[in-house]
Amino acid sequence: MRILFESIFNNTGGEVVINKENKIEILGSPTETALLELGLLLGGNFKEEREKSKIVKVEPFNSAKKRMGVVLELPDGGFRAHCKGASEIILAACDKFIDTNGEVVPLDETTINHLKNTIEQFASEALRTLCLAYIEIGSEFSAESHIPFKGYTCIGVVGIKDPVRPGVKESVAICKSAGIVVRMVTGDNITTAKAIARECGILTDKGIAIEGPEFREKSEEELLELIPRIQVMARSSPLDKHTLVKHLRTKFGEVVAVTGDGTNDAPALHEADIGLAMGIAGTEVAKESADVIILDDNFSTIVTVAKWGRSVYVNIQKFVQFQLTVNVVALIVNFSSACLTGNAPLTAVQLLWVNMIMDTLGALALATEPPNDDLMKRSPVGRKGNFISNVMWRNILGQSIYQFVMIWYLQTRGKSIFHLDGPNSDLVLNTLIFNTFVFCQVFNEISSREMEKINVFKGILKNYVFVAVLTCTVLFQIVIVQLLSTFASTYPLSWQQWFVTVFLGFIGMPIAAALKMVPMGSN
Ligand SMILES: Nc1ncnc2c1ncn2[C@@H]1O[C@H](COP(=O)(O)OP(=O)(O)OP(=O)(O)O)[C@@H](O)[C@H]1O
Ligand SMILES: [Ca+2]
């Protein structure tokens, strides 16, 4: 017991303090606090233990070596080193243990097997195991010399439970349906890692779990074969994490996101396309190497990050699709008629207004669509995916052709259809064309809310910005046509003319819906 307390309270990266409210508070990493808590529960006293002996050297926890150690100067002379860390590694450095009578005896085969079984059993229950050990190092020790790493006496093995947070399993499932492969890379023991990965649904029957040291030995060809199937990597060093990410990015062309909290994760976070560091548990180094900091340390938040990322991407695509359609039609209409008739139906002021509809207002309307859960059912775009997908080309070309043909028809036949004659006939016709064109865009803006689904009205009323933009566009269009005739070179239209032009714009919607039924390849 005495030696256990000495080990727990001295060989630690954490601390027990009395806080402002006079309560005991344990500081340090989760692993450290768990151990200190055990010490306190067993009746140990942190302060007393610390005062008994002097710490002359500390080797802080290092995730490549997976252990930490301290050297104590004992009150009655001599030095003693304590060591704790990954249990199989520490146990391998022990040749003695403390038996039930408290005596130090050599480690025999049966005890080793008993300890190994205990470690396996703890690990298969998803516990993180640590082994504590010490060694007497006589009186010859100076702070410069290394702490020996052989001939230890095993004090015991502890198992620490780090329960899987609720919601992680569901989040992993969502990621899978979204085409995101979740892999777990940890410094833990392989049995612990496998048990946890199974619990969260990361490890499946088809996948493989591998240990860092084995992974390191593989040749380049073996890695190419192996990496796609790796679901769990245990006892990994910081470099293993980095190697895995690097291969996934360069050899497989994958887009890789890495989450991590520790300094040991920094190389991988830095190498990844998207590094996500934990905001609460994360070290400064991890946060600095990351692109995104998860403030609540929750895996489900990563799903939200992915969802918003996709939403922004899709919203920009929708906007670009809408904008390209307006541009193509406005350009072709004005250019072709300028070439053929010598004047353009859309005047400068009108084009300015059209530009506002598509740039400012269109961006506001289409880019403010909130993300929906369907986004997480599609597969990711990938590194090589085209920004303007085939689906977008289909929608853009189909819609532009309709708008152009219809406007061209109005331009050539409009006068006879609307029975226009007299001195104002040209002005009225151009106003009709302008109004039709603007309403084509208004209805196409609604159609652009969805690129593949026919139902474009879903959730439209919940997007207040969209509704407001559309309402403003329509109101202002009425003002421009009816009241601002001189300024915008328009001519007030009759009810009947309004109805026909709005209807012609509306036809764009069934056309957009029909276009969506034309099958397109996945890209
Ligand atoms: N403070 C510590 N002192 C001694 N050994 C430790 C300490 N913390 C962790 N270990 C050992 O090192 C292993 C973890 O190593 P490492 O920190 O490289 O992993 P990790 O992937 O960062 O894990 P996690 O993020 O879950 O802590 C643990 O399984 C444990 O055996
Ligand atoms: Ca860590």
Side-chain angles (χ1 to χ4, degrees):
M1 236 11 190
R2 200 180 46 77
I3 199 93
L4 177 66
F5 284 144
E6 191 176 284
S7 171
I8 291 181
F9 292 121
N10 286 300
N11 185 16
T12 174
E15 215 167 331
V16 180
V17 294
I18 310 287
N19 68 7
K20 282 190 209 116
E21 287 136 38
N22 253 335
K23 287 212 188 79
I24 293 179
E25 194 178 325
I26 309 178
L27 307 176
S29 72
T31 307
E32 299 288 9
T33 47
L35 258 184
L36 288 173
E37 201 168 334
L38 173 73
L40 295 179
L41 276 179
L42 293 174
N45 187 320
F46 180 78
K47 216 163 149 245
E48 246 172 48
E49 227 28 85
R50 273 295 172 91
E51 277 160 5
K52 264 193 219 158
S53 39
K54 201 171 126 218
I55 299 178
V56 289
K57 186 179 170 106
V58 181
E59 241 182 46
F61 174 68
N62 166 321
S63 78
K65 291 189 193 147
K66 307 232 180 296
R67 59 162 200 264
M68 76 169 290
V70 294
V71 179
L72 303 180
E73 188 176 349
L74 301 174
D76 41 0
F79 294 91
R80 183 181 291 149
H82 280 280
C83 172
K84 79 168 192 292
S87 31
E88 2 24 299
I89 300 175
I90 304 295
L91 192 58
C94 292
D95 56 9
K96 296 184 265 327
F97 77 105
I98 307 181
D99 71 2
T100 38
N101 308 322
E103 262 155 57
V104 175
V105 291
L107 257 182
D108 53 67
E109 202 63 31
T110 30
T111 322
I112 292 186
N113 284 338
H114 173 66
L115 284 172
K116 280 191 177 155
N117 284 339
T118 314
I119 295 173
E120 269 305 291
Q121 199 202 327
F122 278 177
S124 61
E125 289 163 24
L127 298 181
R128 154 174 287 192
T129 61
L130 286 187
C131 181
L132 308 178
Y134 77 96
I135 185 171
E136 307 284 357
I137 38 179
S139 52
E140 306 279 304
F141 186 83
S142 73
E144 283 81 49
S145 37
H146 283 290
I147 304 180
F149 195 62
K150 249 211 247 50
Y152 275 85
T153 307
C154 173
I155 307 173
V157 175
V158 293
I160 300 170
K161 177 105 188 149
D162 187 5
V164 174
R165 289 225 207 160
V168 170
K169 196 171 176 189
E170 289 74 17
S171 304
V172 171
I174 296 177
C175 282
K176 281 190 174 169
S177 71
I180 302 170
V181 182
V182 184
R183 293 188 168 89
M184 176 169 147
V185 186
T186 168
D188 263 331
N189 170 299
I190 187 152
T191 318
T192 312
K194 272 158 97 174
I196 294 177
R198 252 197 213 103
E199 209 177 315
C200 319
I202 294 176
L203 185 61
T204 57
D205 295 336
K206 274 184 248 128
I208 44 178
I210 189 171
E211 281 189 310
E214 193 188 337
F215 177 78
R216 247 165 275 161
E217 296 299 307
K218 299 280 180 203
S219 69
E220 203 59 28
E221 293 85 62
E222 283 173 311
L223 281 184
L224 289 184
E225 156 96 12
L226 191 70
I227 286 179
R229 287 160 54 221
I230 293 184
Q231 286 177 336
V232 173
M233 185 147 88
R235 283 287 180 244
S236 60
S237 72
L239 208 62
D240 296 333
K241 300 187 186 188
H242 179 264
T243 312
L244 180 67
V245 175
K246 191 161 178 190
H247 271 81
L248 280 171
R249 287 194 65 218
T250 54
K251 299 275 162 32
F252 295 91
E254 305 273 7
V255 178
V256 186
V258 170
T259 69
D261 55 359
T263 312
N264 56 337
D265 303 317
L269 284 171
H270 186 76
E271 175 71 29
D273 293 287
I274 312 126
L276 302 131
M278 298 300 166
I280 305 170
T283 56
E284 279 313 307
V285 185
K287 287 189 208 171
E288 256 163 44
S289 316
D291 306 298
V292 179
I293 295 175
I294 310 275
L295 291 179
D296 62 358
D297 282 17
N298 199 336
F299 187 77
S300 337
T301 309
I302 296 171
V303 176
T304 317
V305 171
K307 194 156 96 180
W308 275 90
R310 287 183 174 200
S311 162
V312 168
Y313 188 83
V314 168
N315 282 349
I316 297 176
Q317 277 188 323
K318 288 178 193 169
F319 171 60
V320 167
Q321 175 190 306
F322 171 69
Q323 197 182 34
L324 275 179
T325 313
V326 191
N327 269 331
V328 166
V329 180
L331 184 88
I332 299 182
V333 165
N334 260 5
F335 186 74
S336 57
S337 93
C339 289
L340 295 174
T341 65
N343 62 27
L346 299 171
T347 65
V349 172
Q350 290 168 358
L351 278 179
L352 204 63
W353 167 232
V354 167
N355 226 3
M356 269 190 64
I357 299 182
M358 66 188 193
D359 283 352
T360 325
L361 297 176
L364 266 179
L366 291 169
T368 49
E369 284 290 324
N372 60 351
D373 288 334
D374 288 342
L375 287 172
M376 296 307 275
K377 291 188 188 122
R378 326 188 330 174
S379 50
V381 181
R383 205 179 281 288
K384 295 199 199 73
N386 286 331
F387 181 73
I388 303 188
S389 61
N390 287 356
V391 167
M392 287 167 74
W393 280 123
R394 172 194 72 193
N395 295 349
I396 293 171
L397 292 179
Q399 186 67 224
S400 316
I401 290 173
Y402 162 68
Q403 294 186 7
F404 176 69
V405 168
M406 195 252 317
I407 287 175
W408 188 250
Y409 187 73
L410 276 184
Q411 214 173 1
T412 47
R413 295 287 161 78
K415 282 193 187 167
S416 60
I417 299 173
F418 287 96
H419 310 295
L420 302 175
D421 43 49
N424 280 330
S425 62
D426 277 331
L427 188 57
V428 176
L429 182 65
N430 280 352
T431 309
L432 284 169
I433 291 175
F434 169 57
N435 207 35
T436 312
F437 180 72
V438 167
F439 275 94
C440 276
Q441 310 323 322
V442 168
F443 287 108
N444 191 33
E445 199 159 349
I446 303 177
S447 298
S448 299
R449 289 188 71 231
E450 291 288 350
M451 285 189 294
E452 291 180 70
K453 280 202 223 98
I454 307 266
N455 181 4
V456 291
F457 296 106
K458 197 175 157 203
I460 193 170
L461 293 179
K462 283 203 206 102
N463 187 352
Y464 301 120
V465 181
F466 189 87
V467 177
V469 164
L470 228 55
T471 320
C472 287
T473 312
V474 172
L475 286 180
F476 207 71
Q477 175 67 12
I478 297 175
V479 171
I480 289 182
V481 171
Q482 298 298 110
L483 306 174
L484 294 178
S485 337
T486 7
F487 172 66
S489 333
T490 52
Y491 192 89
L493 300 178
S494 70
W495 280 113
Q496 191 200 13
Q497 287 165 333
W498 267 100
F499 178 79
V500 176
T501 46
V502 173
F503 183 75
L504 285 175
F506 170 75
I507 304 268
M509 285 194 74
I511 289 192
L515 281 171
K516 287 175 190 167
M517 283 191 269
V518 179
M520 277 312 222
S522 55
N523 186 25

